Amino acid sequence: EVQLLESGGGLVQPGGSLRLSCGASGFTFSTYAMTWVRQAPGKGLEWVSSIGSSGGSTYYADSVRGRFTISRDNSKDTLYLQMNSLRAEDTAVYYCAKDSLQGLDWGQGTLVTVSS
Amino acid sequence: VLTQSPATLSLSPGERATLSCRASQSVTGFLAWYQQKPGQSPRLLIYDASNRATGIPARFSGSGSGTDFTLTISHLEPEDFAVYYCQKRSRNWPPSITFGQGTRLEIK
């Protein structure tokens, strides 16, 4: 069974930084692309970033490019999202997901609140 | 862009629900459907337009191709009232993931 456990969310001031982690189990992590998706309070789903299985290729939404960095450590079965220069509009639940042509498998999410 | 309609659908248990997802350009990758209940993560229902994910009841079915896709719930159960999202992804890299804005299925 695929299990994804996000951590690292919390309250941060505008302009601050936060690093999210996502621990994976139940599948061969190093063979799958991974994705971050976020959901602002009361809103829909927004794709944020994806990374290839080896970590050599990354892809970002325009809204976060240049501020967020996705990475992975295949030796630790862990996905990361480094978030810098945070804005109020980045407030959301952040989900990590295993990405395949059979759809996305989701973690439970971690809440990031950007507020002074 | 993926446009879902209607934004809200009000039906009674036992009725049939038909949810639409329209793409601005032909979907050359695949299309998936997800269900999300309050306070929960989205759950995969359908992938590649018409394939049910593991453990999904047979009352859920997906159809469509090109720009028009449909999620049908044949006989609504009380636990089916939730928000539904469609999602497209390209078959190659980059994945170009896009979500529809969602359809809220509420009890009439």
Side-chain angles (χ1 to χ4, degrees):
Chain A
E1 178 190 2
V2 172
Q3 292 197 350
L4 299 165
L5 185 62
E6 300 93 337
S7 61
L11 176 64
V12 61
Q13 293 188 339
S17 298
L18 214 54
R19 188 175 86 153
L20 306 183
S21 300
C22 173
S25 61
F27 65 101
T28 306
F29 181 74
S30 62
T31 64
Y32 285 91
M34 296 293 293
T35 285
W36 287 99
V37 177
R38 68 184 180 183
Q39 186 171 37
K43 302 297 185 182
L45 302 171
E46 179 190 12
W47 170 76
V48 172
S49 181
S50 295
I51 187 168
S53 58
S54 67
S57 56
T58 57
Y59 193 51
Y60 298 93
D62 289 344
S63 57
V64 306
R65 186 176 295 114
R67 300 187 298 122
F68 290 12
T69 301
I70 190 173
S71 62
R72 65 192 295 162
D73 185 338
N74 286 345
S75 69
K76 295 182 178 179
D77 291 349
T78 302
L79 176 71
Y80 303 100
L81 186 67
Q82 177 67 44
M83 304 186 295
N84 299 330
S85 302
L86 283 161
R87 307 165 179 167
E89 55 265 35
D90 295 319
T91 294
V93 174
Y94 285 73
Y95 297 100
C96 73
K98 167 180 163 283
D99 178 18
S100 75
L101 292 179
Q102 284 75 48
L104 297 172
D105 288 291
W106 303 71
Q108 89 291 344
T110 187
L111 176 62
V112 172
T113 303
V114 184
S115 175
S116 55
Chain B
V1 176
L2 295 178
T3 302
Q4 293 186 238
S5 61
T8 303
L9 184 58
S10 300
L11 294 171
S12 300
E15 291 192 293
R16 179 186 187 91
T18 302
L19 287 67
S20 173
C21 178
R22 177 163 292 178
S24 56
Q25 299 180 22
S26 182
V27 176
T28 56
F30 82 83
L31 190 115
W33 290 92
Y34 300 87
Q35 176 194 68
Q36 187 178 33
K37 297 179 180 179
Q40 296 185 15
S41 306
R43 177 176 72 145
L44 176 67
L45 300 174
I46 301 288
Y47 66 92
D48 214 4
S50 60
N51 296 288
R52 269 191 305 277
T54 302
I56 301 303
R59 65 180 182 273
F60 291 91
S61 64
S63 63
S65 63
T67 60
D68 291 302
F69 298 85
T70 301
L71 174 69
T72 302
I73 311 172
S74 60
H75 181 96
L76 284 166
E77 298 287 346
E79 62 268 26
D80 298 336
F81 292 91
V83 179
Y84 292 83
Y85 294 95
C86 60
Q87 173 234 335
K88 74 175 182 69
R89 183 198 192 280
S90 64
R91 292 196 181 278
N92 300 311
W93 192 265
S96 299
I97 293 172
T98 304
F99 293 94
Q101 83 280 16
T103 289
R104 179 177 304 277
L105 178 58
E106 63 178 26
I107 299 177
K108 188 173 182 180

